Amino acid sequence: MDNKKDVKGFLEFVYEFYKSMKAHEITLVYEGEITHQITKAFTSLTESNMAKEDEPGTVQRKVFHVMVECLQNISKHADDFTSSDFLFSGRGIFLVSKGENEYSVTTGNAVENSRIEDLTKMLENINRMDKEELKLLYKKQMKEGRLSDKGGAGLGFIDIKRKTGRDLEYHFLPISNDTSFFLLTSTIGRDE
């Protein structure tokens, strides 16, 4: 930062960011490349925090499982654009928030617009299914699922819905004519 005005503006941003995090009950936020080490660090930190607060073991396991699936989703599927200066190239955002009755895990990463239709169909299909249908779909995808060029067959999404019992909330925000920002929120009840 070159001058006092820039420093003051940045510090004001930090304070506003802090207030926004508190208002939305965000306990963890990260932006950047998702690696195995990052996944391990975040899951350990969150487990430790939940254990300190005497969160039931079933809730801890569900939050842990959803976090791992979501982080792997960004790691494997965030589109890596060829332009090295592209703002979202191969990166993602990861947030964990804790409300009175639930935890929410939100991820976001850039995807090519050509993938939106397939992703939407897959997520809508998963959201329509009940527990037994999800179990059958999971087994079917394990046996014969068509893997994408990045190794996914939607197993992570299926597994998150099975573990949480709740619909996957998602949204695509346009970035350009070719890309959008894919946001996914998974919610885990604290009393289930």
Side-chain angles (χ1 to χ4, degrees):
M1 281 165 246
D2 294 339
N3 58 46
K4 286 184 179 183
K5 187 176 178 184
D6 289 341
V7 171
K8 185 177 182 227
F10 178 73
L11 294 176
E12 286 171 353
F13 161 76
V14 171
Y15 180 61
E16 290 301 319
F17 186 69
Y18 172 76
K19 286 194 316 188
S20 183
M21 283 183 65
K22 295 297 280 180
H24 292 91
E25 300 171 318
I26 296 170
T27 58
L28 178 67
V29 64
Y30 172 80
E31 186 282 328
E33 185 180 2
I34 305 294
T35 64
H36 176 71
Q37 289 79 13
I38 294 289
T39 299
K40 192 173 175 182
F42 288 162
T43 52
S44 294
L45 179 65
T46 303
E47 273 185 308
S48 173
N49 286 341
M50 287 191 296
K52 278 184 203 169
E53 296 178 16
D54 292 326
E55 203 68 68
T58 55
V59 173
Q60 289 185 42
R61 284 189 292 278
K62 286 180 183 178
V63 171
F64 175 85
H65 190 85
V66 169
M67 285 180 67
V68 170
E69 289 295 341
C70 288
L71 288 164
Q72 285 179 345
N73 187 45
I74 294 175
S75 173
K76 288 181 182 174
H77 301 290
D79 283 333
D80 192 10
F81 301 95
T82 53
S83 173
S84 62
D85 62 350
F86 190 76
L87 183 61
F88 303 100
S89 181
R91 305 173 70 88
I93 188 166
F94 176 80
L95 297 101
V96 177
S97 60
K98 176 187 164 194
E100 187 175 328
N101 300 314
E102 61 198 22
Y103 282 91
S104 292
V105 177
T106 301
T107 57
N109 57 276
V111 295
E112 293 176 8
N113 287 341
S114 61
R115 297 178 56 206
I116 290 176
E117 187 178 342
D118 287 343
L119 274 168
T120 300
K121 282 181 186 172
M122 181 189 307
L123 291 166
E124 286 300 313
N125 188 40
I126 291 168
N127 280 343
R128 276 192 295 270
M129 294 184 164
D130 63 23
K131 197 173 184 176
E132 190 59 32
E133 291 171 319
L134 288 166
K135 184 179 175 182
L136 293 173
L137 178 63
Y138 188 86
K139 285 182 178 178
K140 180 181 175 191
Q141 289 298 85
M142 285 292 288
K143 280 185 181 175
E144 60 190 63
R146 183 177 62 88
L147 296 179
S148 70
D149 56 348
K150 295 181 179 181
L155 291 171
F157 295 138
I158 298 167
D159 215 25
I160 290 170
K161 171 84 188 273
R162 288 178 66 198
K163 297 288 185 209
T164 64
R166 297 186 182 197
D167 283 354
L168 302 168
E169 297 174 38
Y170 64 93
H171 196 66
F172 297 95
L173 299 173
I175 297 172
S176 70
N177 289 335
D178 302 321
T179 58
S180 293
F181 200 68
F182 171 49
L183 290 156
L184 177 74
T185 298
S186 307
T187 305
I188 304 104
R190 295 181 65 194
D191 55 355
E192 296 171 2

